[in-house]
Amino acid sequence: MESIYLEYENEMDLYESYMPFFTKGGLFFRTDELYDMGVELTLYVMLPDSLEYTSVRTQVSWVTPYGTQNGNDMGVGVSFVEDIENVNQQIERVIARLLGSHTPTLSM
């Protein structure tokens, strides 16, 4: 299983990447790599103001290919499959005040 390391500098970067519509949460990340739907990845996520990475097992559930009509960045969205370290809860705590925002995200 491939490992991906993501580091978020601030809460807005994290908010833009967060995909709350997945049952257990998820993240979108920009990449030029091509991933097939359903591919499992291990994400190592460094949240803002954190000193270490937390891990979550994910599955590719969203693909934004190069050249989309709406101009969104190329990348993939992963849904959390096994979240032993409660990454989704940690993310929601960090971005709590932004969750009701109408600010567009990378996937919507």
Side-chain angles (χ1 to χ4, degrees):
M1 186 178 319
E2 185 176 346
S3 296
I4 305 287
Y5 288 81
L6 302 174
E7 188 170 330
Y8 295 95
E9 301 272 328
N10 57 58
E11 63 184 27
M12 185 53 82
D13 288 342
L14 182 58
Y15 167 77
E16 289 176 344
S17 297
Y18 186 53
M19 301 179 89
F21 46 85
F22 289 129
T23 304
K24 296 179 182 179
L27 289 169
F28 179 88
F29 60 93
R30 295 175 180 103
T31 182
D32 294 336
E33 296 292 322
L34 300 176
Y35 291 95
D36 291 325
M37 295 290 282
V39 169
E40 291 191 0
L41 304 169
T42 299
L43 287 190
Y44 292 92
V45 181
M46 175 90 61
L47 298 174
D49 299 326
S50 181
L51 300 175
E52 59 187 35
Y53 287 93
T54 54
S55 66
V56 59
R57 192 168 59 91
T58 68
Q59 180 177 32
V60 174
S61 301
W62 178 288
V63 176
T64 303
Y66 176 75
T68 59
Q69 286 183 322
N70 59 7
N72 284 354
D73 293 331
M74 181 177 173
V76 298
V78 294
S79 56
F80 297 168
V81 175
E82 188 175 352
D83 188 7
I84 295 171
E85 296 186 47
N86 297 312
V87 173
N88 191 54
Q89 288 178 357
Q90 293 176 49
I91 290 170
E92 288 187 348
R93 270 195 298 270
V94 171
I95 63 171
R97 69 179 189 84
L98 297 171
L99 284 176
S101 173
H102 296 290
T103 303
T105 65
L106 296 174
S107 59
M108 298 300 252

